[in-house]
Amino acid sequence: MKIEAPIYVTRPSLPPLNEYVKLLEEIWKTRNLTNNGKFHQELEAKLCEFLGVKYISLFSNGTLALVTALQALKITGEVITTPFSFVATTHSLWWNGIKPVFVDIDPETYNLDTDKIEAAITPFTTAIMPVHVYGTPCNVVKMKEIADKYGLKIIYDACHAFGVKYKNESILNFGDLSILSFHATKIFNTFEGGAIVCNNEETKKRIDFLKNFGFADEVTVVAPGINAKMNEAQAALGVLQLKRINESIDKRKIIVNEYRSRLRKISGVKFLQDFDYVETNYQYFPIFINEIVYGKNRDAIYEELKKVNIFTRRYFYPLISDFSTYKALPSSSHENLPVAIKAANEVLCLPIYPDLDLETVVFICDFISNLKS
Ligand code: T4K
């Protein structure tokens, strides 16, 4: 059997078009298109409330938010980061002239292994840029201990962690700054978009200047800023998207439970465990294939599913450290990153989005079960 219409790893959620048209009519009437307009202000306020954070600054995308975050804290020299992420994490360092130093990941959370960070610190290290990959929180307590001990900043790439809570507290409240992505493929999307979360007014001000060319007022430029502002059409969409976000997370949970209950029976297929101190968002559903136990490798499943119109993704393969820009760095050596290499070779992200029907989930699980040798 083949699935009729292609099924992709994700499908963006959108509000009813007529609701959006009403807000667009308002934008047409006021001609207020960008530069901290009404919807921009409304979305910032609503996101602070929904996420349980003090200050948020909206961006045109997550990558520019990462790049600006490093500028905001004046980070230089070397930054410790994970190779198991989307390439934008490390690119943001490169765009700031910072040397990335890759450290291996933890085999349970797939996040930076805090036991291996200290060995990578040099006199040039100024910060750590960890990622809450798939929305699973990093070891934020240990991370802070290390940062405090060595006087380092922490900028969390929280692009997968919208709405995630750690011991009932927003995960975005840990570290100096947290970065979000509102890209089409994320649980909360504004077509493209992003944000920086911070915990004091002064930093929020500086970030707001930096994303608007550095302008403090009409005649004062306080820093060499960039243009990374979110426009009103994006912000208005965000206001509508926020109304349905809880419903969307609930639907994702049902899908994850269906996947788990079926895949649990297949030996050689591992999936992310639940952590009792975490309220997750079900952004991704990664599975990890043990080739020896399952009898086939991850790529076999990926290719065979494609033949039946199911397009999974290997997030994150190849490792960032294996891309040509970063490969020559000493910390990119395979001896330095055994856990990350294993994860990159075993991972497969299965389709997950609120409208995905359970029949398709059952089909995918049966397919993976039948393919096993
Ligand atoms: N840090 C982390 C940890 C990140 O994961 C990301 C982004 C960033 C930073 C940077 O944030 P942004 O600057 O992007 O805000 C996607 C996304 O482009 C990227 O945002 C995301 N991470 C990454 C994990 O995935 P691709 O190249 O896999 O996307 P694409 O276009 O192949 O989309 C995947 C599938 O989604 C498609 O096969 C079909 C479906 N899709 C996609 C789009 C864009 C749709 O149905 N509609 C759409 O409009 O990178």
Side-chain angles (χ1 to χ4, degrees), residues 8-12 61-63 66 85-86 88-89 131 157 159-160 181 183-186 193 284 313 315-316:
Y8 297 106
V9 69
T10 190
R11 189 159 186 264
N61 61 62
T63 304
L66 282 166
S85 179
F86 189 59
T89 310
V131 181
D157 178 335
C159 287
H160 298 178
S181 165
H183 182 261
T185 55
K186 297 291 188 276
Y284 292 98
R313 292 302 284 263
Y315 296 136
F316 290 99

Side-chain angles (χ1 to χ4, degrees), residues 47-82:
L47 281 174
C48 279
E49 196 185 332
F50 177 82
L51 296 169
V53 301
K54 275 198 186 139
Y55 299 97
I56 195 162
S57 182
L58 298 176
F59 275 74
S60 45
N61 61 62
T63 304
L64 281 172
L66 282 166
V67 168
T68 309
L70 291 157
Q71 285 281 324
L73 299 185
K74 300 191 171 91
I75 303 297
T76 55
E78 295 179 3
V79 169
I80 289 171
T81 190
T82 169

Side-chain angles (χ1 to χ4, degrees), residues 10-78:
T10 190
R11 189 159 186 264
S13 299
L14 287 171
L17 184 58
N18 61 336
E19 285 186 30
Y20 190 42
V21 169
K22 272 192 202 134
L23 302 195
L24 290 177
E25 280 169 356
E26 224 178 299
I27 294 173
W28 255 244
K29 205 154 70 190
T30 61
R31 301 291 161 118
N32 205 341
L33 310 187
T34 187
N35 289 10
N36 200 24
K38 176 194 152 188
F39 289 116
H40 188 283
Q41 289 174 33
E42 185 178 342
L43 185 59
E44 284 195 348
K46 290 199 162 139
L47 281 174
C48 279
E49 196 185 332
F50 177 82
L51 296 169
V53 301
K54 275 198 186 139
Y55 299 97
I56 195 162
S57 182
L58 298 176
F59 275 74
S60 45
N61 61 62
T63 304
L64 281 172
L66 282 166
V67 168
T68 309
L70 291 157
Q71 285 281 324
L73 299 185
K74 300 191 171 91
I75 303 297
T76 55
E78 295 179 3

Side-chain angles (χ1 to χ4, degrees), residues 53-332:
V53 301
K54 275 198 186 139
Y55 299 97
I56 195 162
S57 182
L58 298 176
F59 275 74
S60 45
N61 61 62
T63 304
L64 281 172
L66 282 166
V67 168
T68 309
L70 291 157
Q71 285 281 324
L73 299 185
K74 300 191 171 91
I75 303 297
T76 55
E78 295 179 3
V79 169
I80 289 171
T81 190
T82 169
F84 192 65
S85 179
F86 189 59
V87 72
T89 310
T90 310
H91 280 352
S92 72
L93 299 172
W94 207 256
W95 274 70
N96 276 289
I98 294 164
K99 180 178 171 189
V101 175
F102 296 111
V103 164
D104 207 5
I105 58 170
D106 172 270
E108 290 309 311
T109 62
Y110 300 92
N111 291 325
L112 262 186
D113 186 339
T114 44
D115 288 339
K116 295 184 180 155
I117 290 177
E118 283 189 79
I121 294 173
T122 75
F124 305 105
T125 312
T126 55
I128 311 172
M129 184 179 270
V131 181
H132 303 298
V133 80
Y134 311 128
T136 303
C138 293
N139 186 343
V140 287
V141 174
K142 186 83 191 289
M143 205 74 78
K144 184 169 176 356
E145 273 171 30
I146 297 169
D148 288 348
K149 185 170 164 190
Y150 293 91
L152 308 177
K153 300 282 186 199
I154 306 176
I155 299 178
Y156 279 110
D157 178 335
C159 287
H160 298 178
F162 186 93
V164 170
K165 288 195 179 138
Y166 170 89
K167 297 187 177 166
N168 290 323
E169 162 91 35
S170 170
I171 192 65
L172 307 171
N173 287 330
F174 294 87
D176 294 279
L177 299 174
S178 290
I179 315 312
L180 291 166
S181 165
F182 305 151
H183 182 261
T185 55
K186 297 291 188 276
I187 62 162
F188 173 81
N189 85 74
T190 55
F191 293 158
E192 291 258 9
I196 302 182
V197 170
C198 66
N199 52 24
N200 68 75
E201 202 178 346
E202 209 182 313
T203 310
K204 154 83 172 149
K205 242 189 196 165
R206 179 165 163 76
I207 292 166
D208 284 348
F209 293 156
L210 282 172
K211 75 175 181 191
N212 187 28
F213 313 98
F215 275 114
D217 61 43
E218 216 178 299
V219 290
T220 319
V221 168
V222 292
I226 198 166
N227 182 1
K229 289 163 283 148
M230 177 180 279
N231 67 48
E232 285 292 273
Q234 287 173 287
L237 181 68
V239 169
L240 295 179
Q241 298 281 45
L242 203 52
K243 289 186 186 170
R244 293 172 182 83
I245 188 72
N246 283 330
E247 192 189 319
S248 153
I249 292 173
D250 290 347
K251 284 184 178 169
R252 284 169 178 273
K253 184 175 180 178
I254 294 169
I255 292 162
V256 165
N257 285 338
E258 190 70 34
Y259 268 132
R260 284 179 174 169
S261 72
R262 291 173 183 273
L263 294 174
R264 188 166 283 127
K265 298 167 197 150
I266 312 174
S267 51
V269 177
K270 179 184 158 192
F271 43 80
L272 273 182
Q273 65 174 104
D274 265 339
F275 297 91
D276 56 8
Y277 53 87
V278 176
E279 205 177 294
T280 188
N281 62 9
Y282 308 100
Q283 163 81 70
Y284 292 98
F285 189 74
I287 60 171
F288 299 85
I289 308 302
N290 181 323
E291 184 178 350
I292 295 166
V293 181
Y294 181 77
K296 289 197 173 75
N297 65 19
R298 177 273 315 273
D299 288 339
I301 303 179
Y302 169 78
E303 293 297 343
E304 290 303 318
L305 277 171
K306 266 209 278 194
K307 291 182 191 160
V308 292
N309 245 352
I310 295 186
F311 299 90
T312 59
R313 292 302 284 263
R314 291 166 291 186
Y315 296 136
F316 290 99
Y317 166 86
L319 289 180
I320 302 175
S321 47
D322 277 341
F323 287 123
S324 58
T325 315
Y326 305 111
K327 209 166 171 47
L329 291 169
S331 64
S332 295

